[in-house]
Amino acid sequence: MKAFFRSLTFLMAEKSGWGKPLPAGHYRGVAVHESFGSYVAQVAEISIDKGKLKVHKVDCAIDCGLAVNPAGVKAQMEGCIVFGLTALLYGEITLEKGKVKQRNFHDYKIARMNEAPQIEVHIVNSTEKMGGAGEPGVPPVAPAIANAIFAATGKRIRKLPLQPSDLT
């Protein structure tokens, strides 16, 4: 295992409190992704109450090499997490009479502020080659939440967007 990947996973475990007890009814899931020369790990904390998912927190660690603008990297990861949450919850494109039904944001639902989890972004102090920070934070969101749902329900999520039957 490369040193930078090891430092990413150790940082994520430490910052997310992995292995420490959670409040009753809360569950964690983890996912790791690599793209655009960056590595991202995310831990999602969720609960399910009466078939309704609540994502409480997402801890995110990124190794994008030298982070010239850490505030920009943090902002990108926060946006990526909300965008990934949107895909998980609402990201369905449907056809009607051969045309895409969702034409714009008036009929394509996106995650709202009240659905956004607490997000903590941790940047690995790295000397690796610089990578991207605009896209790599999106792919691990849904798998981290899906793994937390598996911890809560024993069901594997195989299709998005999430369906109510996935939460029972």
Side-chain angles (χ1 to χ4, degrees), residues 13-104:
E14 174 194 342
K15 296 295 185 180
S16 70
W18 193 266
K20 293 182 181 175
L22 288 169
H26 285 223
Y27 303 88
R28 283 191 194 104
V30 63
V32 180
H33 173 75
E34 181 274 325
S35 64
F36 299 94
S38 294
Y39 291 80
V40 178
Q42 293 177 0
V43 173
E45 180 184 331
I46 65 131
S47 64
I48 300 171
D49 184 33
K50 298 177 185 164
K52 182 148 176 61
L53 174 70
K54 171 75 175 165
V55 181
H56 296 277
K57 185 177 181 186
V58 176
D59 279 286
C60 174
I62 179 171
D63 185 342
C64 57
L66 176 64
V68 175
N69 181 354
V73 172
K74 180 180 177 193
Q76 287 288 350
M77 291 301 104
E78 290 168 344
C80 287
I81 290 165
V82 173
F83 185 75
L85 182 61
T86 293
L88 174 83
L89 296 175
Y90 310 117
E92 185 171 34
I93 301 295
T94 57
L95 300 173
E96 187 174 276
K97 297 181 183 177
K99 294 182 182 178
V100 173
K101 190 174 176 181
Q102 295 75 18
R103 309 263 315 157
N104 208 326

Side-chain angles (χ1 to χ4, degrees), residues 120-138:
E120 292 195 23
V121 177
H122 313 283
I123 302 169
V124 173
N125 185 11
S126 178
T127 58
E128 293 294 322
K129 179 181 166 188
M130 286 190 284
E135 294 86 5
V138 175

Side-chain angles (χ1 to χ4, degrees), residues 105-126:
F105 291 116
H106 69 281
D107 54 9
Y108 179 81
K109 190 171 180 180
I110 60 173
R112 305 287 192 232
M113 291 290 289
N114 65 327
E115 297 170 298
Q118 175 187 350
I119 299 171
E120 292 195 23
V121 177
H122 313 283
I123 302 169
V124 173
N125 185 11
S126 178

